[in-house]
């Protein structure tokens, strides 16, 4: 299971003197399609891709509107590409914060890609802290519905109970989290699940990310010894 933070679209646009951010978004989403093909060829069973954070929603409308349009186009194309033929796509995040047209495109993608053997999870309007907050709320609500007294609820909150209420609780924890653009931080991505993941911070903007960059990150991962805190 590989988690990916697809970072660097705007800086790529400035570095390449592109006419606007939309041009870099389109390059980046074409790269996303390539990435799905790479993971298919390497038989990677699960990828979680962070395409939009809750913090990103604070950007100006003139930046968000074209990105929403590019994402909508991407969601329509995925079922038609070879790498989209054998995937199950699921979305996680606060989709209620997004335009209705984009949410509808996401739902159509989930419907069209629902029976594949590989799992592609797309984090949209996603924040790791909010995911944990939502898990706690769900757990407390469930415990209250079961008749647990308020003063006893804390006794029933444990790691397993919270893990089962994360957005994609049926997925194994990520083995590797990869971030492009040279930024060496998680920015809240899968905070709960990635506690013992390995990390790879790649000094390349996402639209310029190459297959060789991906293979190098995977090679470095295989050289590490995972001790899970032991």
């Amino acid at each position: 299971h590989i988690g990916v933070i697809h970072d660097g679209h705007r800086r790529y646009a400035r570095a390449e003197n592109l006419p606007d951010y939309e041009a870099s978004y389109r390059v980046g989403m074409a790269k996303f399609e390539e990435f799905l093909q790479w993971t298919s060829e390497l038989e990677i069973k699960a990828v979680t891709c962070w395409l939009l954070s809750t913090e990103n929603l604070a950007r100006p409308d003139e930046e968000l509107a074209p990105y929403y349009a590019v994402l909508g186009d991407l969601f329509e194309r995925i079922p038609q590409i070879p790498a989209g033929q054998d995937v199950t796509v699921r979305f996680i995040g606060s989709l209620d914060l997004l335009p209705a047209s984009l949410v509808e495109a996401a739902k159509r993608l989930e419907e069209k890609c629902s029976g594949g053997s590989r799992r592609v999870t797309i984090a949209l309007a996603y924040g790791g802290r909010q995911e944990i907050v939502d898990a706690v709320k769900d757990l407390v609500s469930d415990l209250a519905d079961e008749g647990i007294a308020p003063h006893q609820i804390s006794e029933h909150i444990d790691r397993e109970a919270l893990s089962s209420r994360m957005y994609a609780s049926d997925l194994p924890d990520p083995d590797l989290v990869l971030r492009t653009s040279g930024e060496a931080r998680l920015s809240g991505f899968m905070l709960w699940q990635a506690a013992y993941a390995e990390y790879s911070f790649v000094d390349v903007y996402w639209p310029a990310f190459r297959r060789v960059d991906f293979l190098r990150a995977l090679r470095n991962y295989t050289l590490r010894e995972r001790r899970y805190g032991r």
Side-chain angles (χ1 to χ4, degrees):
H1 180 191
I2 297 177
V4 186
I5 304 172
H6 306 259
D7 194 22
H9 288 88
R10 296 185 299 174
R11 280 169 286 170
Y12 175 81
R14 293 191 291 268
E16 297 296 321
N17 294 314
L18 297 181
D20 50 37
Y21 289 152
E22 182 175 356
S24 65
Y25 297 153
R26 294 200 176 278
V27 176
M29 293 308 102
K31 184 66 63 176
F32 182 89
E33 294 180 44
E34 289 184 48
F35 175 74
L36 291 185
Q37 185 61 40
W38 302 340
T39 60
S40 175
E41 293 168 358
L42 294 169
E43 299 183 350
I44 294 171
K45 294 300 183 182
V47 292
T48 297
C49 302
W50 197 9
L51 295 185
L52 184 71
S53 73
T54 49
E55 289 77 15
N56 293 155
L57 299 179
R59 291 177 178 175
D61 288 343
E62 56 267 26
E63 289 186 24
L64 287 174
Y67 189 52
Y68 292 153
V70 170
L71 286 176
D73 291 344
L74 171 69
F75 299 162
E76 297 296 339
R77 288 197 307 273
I78 287 177
Q80 304 171 20
I81 64 175
Q85 302 304 307
D86 190 32
V87 296
T88 294
V89 177
R90 291 291 179 267
F91 285 83
I92 59 174
S94 302
L95 270 66
D96 57 304
L97 301 177
L98 300 173
S101 59
L102 183 58
V103 175
E104 290 168 3
K107 290 180 179 178
R108 286 196 297 272
L109 175 55
E110 286 186 331
E111 292 170 359
K112 292 178 180 178
C113 295
S114 60
S117 63
R118 297 193 312 116
R119 183 75 173 269
V120 175
T121 304
I122 298 177
L124 211 60
Y126 169 88
R129 288 179 173 176
Q130 188 61 48
E131 179 178 18
I132 295 172
V133 169
D134 288 345
V136 173
K137 286 182 176 179
D138 287 346
L139 176 54
V140 170
S141 178
D142 290 344
L143 292 172
D145 290 343
E146 293 170 11
I148 304 299
H151 68 278
Q152 295 178 322
I153 283 180
S154 62
E155 300 173 10
H156 297 266
I157 297 177
D158 56 30
R159 183 173 60 187
E160 290 74 20
L162 284 176
S163 292
S164 69
R165 287 165 176 79
M166 294 294 155
Y167 293 156
S169 59
D170 57 325
L171 282 176
D173 288 343
D175 301 292
L176 172 67
V177 174
L178 187 155
R179 180 171 186 157
T180 59
S181 87
E183 300 290 353
R185 60 177 183 270
L186 289 182
S187 298
F189 181 61
M190 302 188 81
L191 292 175
W192 180 273
Q193 302 91 329
Y196 292 108
E198 298 294 324
Y199 300 98
S200 179
F201 299 107
V202 184
D203 193 18
V204 177
Y205 300 133
W206 173 254
F209 190 65
R210 303 166 300 170
R211 182 186 176 93
V212 67
D213 298 315
F214 185 45
L215 293 176
R216 186 177 294 119
L218 293 178
R219 181 195 64 193
N220 291 341
Y221 166 77
T222 64
L223 298 176
R224 300 177 188 178
E225 179 185 358
R226 301 187 72 192
R227 296 191 297 272
Y228 300 93
R230 295 191 293 272

